[in-house]
Amino acid sequence: MEPIILLEDVSFSYEGASGRALDGVRLSITPGEFVGVIGPAGAGKTTLAHALSGVTPHVRRGDFYGAARVAGLDTVSSSVAELSKTVGCVFQDIESQFVTTMVEDEILFALENFSVPRDEIPSRVDRALNDLDIADLRLRSISTLSGGQKQKVALAAALALAPSVLVLDEATGELDPASSVQVFELLTQLQRERGATIIVIEQKIMLLCAYAERLLVMDQGRVVIDGSVRRALEQPDRLLALGVNCPRVTTLAARLREKGLYHGAPPVSLDEAEAMVREALA
Ligand SMILES: Nc1ncnc2c1ncn2[C@@H]1O[C@H](COP(=O)(O)OP(=O)(O)OP(=O)(O)O)[C@@H](O)[C@H]1O
Ligand SMILES: [Mg+2]
């Protein structure tokens, strides 16, 4: 299948900065993949998210090398507005994301600007608000909301559009565990029902690994591990050395394997973790 995202040797350095925020990134993602991205602070995760949405190099300026194609568009020769018709994003710097001042308007704005049929708009707004459990915030001013509520509004606006590519950059950082799970369920629904491609940068690695099929680990502007979630989790020492806070259950799996007490793959769910512990105790 044709890749929906294709990065060929993409490097980027911010204006005035000496080092490269992205350094020779090669990446091919096929439609419908659910890809997790992890890595230590400053690894280039946000710059990668920006490169997919065109924010880099159009808004955050600097020297861009290589080629990036997303949904058939070259990110350097296409405008951010053009890209945003297919690439939905929730950015880490959420304050910079809002274009209106009221919750309902934020979701309406997205739908009205992306040629969603008029008669569909009211039901799409209702659904987005209900999906994120924020119907009660509908008429609130965004500036009065908590960090977590703001994240839900940005997620609702992004999900309402049902984009073919959705990029989330630490978009659940201020949500409680139940709401975070709910967001991942919504992402999976978008992936299954619409064949959307989902790219999620996330600190909650265990949660990410329960939903993502493929994991990219970034360090110093490079993608240093790219493979199935299980394969990435099979290298806990490498992840720890990179400064990625590895799930404890993954480290435990590696130790038990070393001692010959466990023979399976690193668990990616609570059930699998329980099965591992039972095997080790048996
Ligand atoms: N606007 C900017 N101007 C100059 N340098 C920047 C800018 N934004 C990021 N950088 C640098 O680019 C590199 C990659 O940063 P980036 O924000 O992409 O990392 P990250 O993996 O998202 O980090 P975090 O986990 O802290 O969000 C870092 O060295 C950072 O200091
Ligand atoms: Mg970041």
Side-chain angles (χ1 to χ4, degrees):
M1 211 187 308
E2 278 278 296
I4 189 153
I5 293 173
L6 186 64
L7 268 53
E8 294 175 299
D9 275 318
V10 169
S11 294
F12 180 76
S13 36
Y14 286 95
E15 218 162 53
S18 51
R20 288 181 163 189
L22 294 178
D23 188 8
V25 174
R26 291 173 187 209
L27 186 59
S28 173
I29 295 176
T30 45
E33 277 193 270
F34 193 136
V35 183
V37 183
I38 62 173
K45 304 179 299 293
T46 293
T47 311
L48 177 71
H50 285 168
L52 299 178
S53 63
V55 169
T56 293
H58 295 290
V59 182
R60 301 281 159 85
R61 292 176 182 278
D63 295 322
F64 187 98
Y65 306 94
R69 285 185 78 75
V70 181
L73 297 170
D74 180 285
T75 60
V76 176
S77 59
S78 312
S79 67
V80 175
E82 221 174 324
L83 281 158
S84 66
K85 288 182 183 153
T86 27
V87 188
C89 300
V90 178
F91 290 126
Q92 191 171 11
D93 171 19
I94 201 146
E95 300 288 345
S96 71
Q97 172 134 19
F98 297 116
V99 286
T100 69
T101 55
M102 206 206 283
V103 171
E104 180 179 49
D105 292 347
E106 191 64 27
I107 300 167
L108 272 173
F109 176 87
L111 294 168
E112 283 170 351
N113 280 275
F114 294 100
S115 52
V116 171
R118 290 253 139 220
D119 56 336
E120 269 185 35
I121 290 181
S123 63
R124 297 261 294 251
V125 173
D126 290 346
R127 182 170 167 197
L129 291 167
N130 289 329
D131 277 351
L132 274 304
D133 282 335
I134 50 170
D136 55 325
L137 303 180
R138 184 176 201 127
L139 300 176
R140 287 275 296 275
S141 156
I142 294 174
S143 64
T144 66
L145 303 179
S146 71
Q149 289 171 327
K150 284 180 184 168
Q151 283 187 328
K152 288 186 180 181
V153 173
L155 284 159
L159 284 162
L161 284 172
S164 24
V165 177
L166 184 56
V167 183
L168 304 191
D169 187 0
E170 305 197 8
T172 70
E174 297 193 50
L175 301 188
D176 57 66
S179 303
S180 301
V181 168
Q182 196 179 353
V183 169
F184 275 87
E185 288 293 332
L186 290 167
L187 296 176
T188 305
Q189 201 180 334
L190 185 65
Q191 179 202 23
R192 299 227 173 102
E193 289 175 7
R194 306 272 193 145
T197 307
I198 316 281
I199 319 281
V200 180
I201 299 167
E202 180 65 64
Q203 297 280 348
K204 297 170 200 140
I205 300 182
M206 219 35 210
L207 179 63
L208 180 64
C209 290
Y211 288 89
E213 295 135 3
R214 174 176 169 190
L215 198 63
L216 306 179
V217 184
M218 293 193 71
D219 185 43
Q220 298 186 7
R222 295 168 173 272
V223 175
V224 293
I225 300 177
D226 176 0
S228 72
V229 164
R230 287 196 198 273
R231 233 202 71 211
L233 292 183
E234 267 161 9
Q235 317 174 52
D237 293 334
R238 187 153 174 229
L239 294 178
L240 284 170
L242 288 170
V244 172
N245 91 54
C246 199
R248 267 177 295 180
V249 65
T250 305
T251 319
L252 178 63
R255 300 289 167 266
L256 291 173
R257 273 158 63 119
E258 276 164 24
K259 294 191 187 307
L261 294 170
Y262 176 64
H263 305 279
V268 293
S269 68
L270 198 57
D271 285 348
E272 289 183 20
E274 188 187 330
M276 173 182 79
V277 173
R278 283 184 194 284
E279 181 182 328
L281 291 175

